[in-house]
Amino acid sequence: MPLDPQIQALLEKGAGVPATETLPVPEARAQYDARVALMAPAPQVATREFSIPGPGGPLRIRLYTPDGQGPFPLLVFFHGSGFVLCSLETHDGICRNLCAGGGCVVASVDYRLAPETQFPGPTEDCLVATSWCAEHAAELGADPARVVVGGDSAGGNLATVTALRLRDEGGPKLIGQLLLYPVTDFHTPGTRSYVENATGYGLTRATMEWFWGHYLARPEDATHPHAAPLRAPDLAGLPPALIQTAEYDPLRDEAELYAARLREAGVPVQVTRWAGMNHGFLFWVGRVDAARPAMDEACEWLRRTTGG
């Protein structure tokens, strides 16, 4: 179907803004942070912040707790964008919606960003944070037997990698992975959607190349399964997944290929391609009408998967 007219209006509003890949990293971060002012108000839930020991120093976590009586399921959430940009603040609305709608405690992890910390540093942060949150679930008002990892875009990548590493290296058992238009592979050779949606829909191929260029210190890391989980030799034994993709997204096909590989490995997968949407559309719940059903799907999946 055509690009959603409300998405088109948002893209037109951003016309003339410098392309991300043309900016120094601090300016690109400031440009993305400015989006927060355009987002709709999100549900009011209880929040608090704390730090845990991380591989590179204190690791900040923002905790969201729904109304009601716990212990609640626990979603450990990793934000996008591109391992380089965004923060707890840019993804506050998404986390509030998932907390209130999914009926779960959400622990949003402020992992270290590239280029200051390159691969595999962010994956180490996410692994440590997930293990810590599961081990301290009772202190968080959560149930250690109902832990899900999730994230959007690069955060979806980090969620898949965390699930892989916990399977292979030991740690808390996960019962699900919530992957919102995730990065699952390197940009080269790329997929058909990298060609179809290379420009014109927000996230571009050039921006993805810029992200990967900052994230990876060595060219050979592009094929490492902890950077490009689509290239993992074996996906058996991973937790059930919901994978959401967007029609006008360069990452659409790689996410759907990951879903297909999970299915082939015997992992239960629900995958939905959201027609007319572009990469990052869940930022716009409350501004783009068609974003609400996708958020509702994610929340319903969380409740069904966790028994919440």
Side-chain angles (χ1 to χ4, degrees):
M1 66 178 290
L3 186 67
D4 183 275
Q6 291 176 312
I7 293 288
Q8 182 64 52
L10 287 167
L11 291 174
E12 290 172 359
K13 182 177 286 190
V17 173
T20 301
E21 66 273 12
T22 67
L23 296 173
V25 168
E27 292 181 25
R29 288 174 178 163
Q31 184 167 280
Y32 269 66
D33 290 347
R35 293 181 177 188
V36 175
L38 303 176
M39 296 173 191
Q44 292 299 306
V45 296
T47 64
R48 65 183 176 95
E49 290 189 13
F50 56 91
S51 294
I52 65 171
L59 195 56
R60 188 165 61 117
I61 293 176
R62 181 176 293 172
L63 196 74
Y64 302 80
T65 304
D67 293 335
Q69 185 67 40
F72 301 99
L74 172 64
L75 168 63
V76 185
F77 186 86
F78 314 120
H79 70 76
S81 287
F83 313 102
V84 178
L85 310 176
C86 289
S87 64
L88 301 185
E89 284 67 34
T90 58
H91 285 66
D92 183 72
I94 289 176
C95 289
R96 288 177 180 273
N97 275 294
L98 291 171
C99 172
C104 56
V105 168
V106 178
S108 184
V109 180
D110 191 27
Y111 61 89
R112 293 171 293 169
L113 297 176
E116 295 89 345
T117 302
Q118 293 179 299
F119 174 81
T123 72
E124 299 287 348
D125 289 353
C126 294
L127 181 67
V128 166
T130 302
S131 296
W132 189 97
C133 287
E135 291 165 7
H136 294 80
E139 301 167 31
L140 307 180
D143 180 354
R146 294 188 290 165
V147 181
V148 175
V149 290
D152 68 313
S153 191
N157 173 288
L158 293 168
T160 69
V161 171
T162 299
L164 281 166
R165 294 191 64 182
L166 288 173
R167 181 199 66 179
D168 296 341
E169 300 171 29
K173 181 175 175 57
L174 302 175
I175 63 168
Q177 44 183 335
L178 175 65
L179 310 179
L180 311 175
Y181 32 82
V183 178
T184 68
D185 201 10
F186 191 58
H187 58 73
T188 299
T191 59
R192 184 166 58 93
S193 61
Y194 250 107
V195 176
E196 295 176 349
N197 303 319
T199 61
Y201 302 111
L203 179 66
T204 67
R205 180 186 178 96
T207 302
M208 284 304 303
E209 292 174 353
W210 186 82
F211 285 147
W212 279 108
H214 285 301
Y215 184 47
L216 301 182
R218 306 179 307 164
E220 57 265 34
D221 288 337
T223 58
H224 195 294
H226 294 170
L230 185 60
R231 306 191 186 205
D234 179 17
L235 301 182
L238 291 174
L242 171 64
I243 300 179
Q244 293 185 339
T245 68
E247 181 178 8
Y248 293 98
D249 182 359
L251 308 184
R252 181 195 69 208
D253 290 353
E254 66 189 62
E256 293 175 3
L257 285 168
Y258 192 73
R261 285 210 53 217
L262 285 171
R263 279 204 189 101
E264 290 167 4
V267 177
V269 181
Q270 178 180 336
V271 58
T272 308
R273 178 189 294 188
W274 288 92
M277 296 292 101
N278 69 340
H279 189 81
F281 71 94
L282 286 170
F283 280 123
W284 307 116
V285 171
R287 297 278 189 237
V288 171
D289 295 341
R292 170 50 64 185
M295 179 58 73
D296 289 345
E297 177 188 63
C299 292
E300 192 278 332
W301 179 87
L302 281 169
R303 286 185 178 276
R304 186 174 70 253
T305 300
T306 63

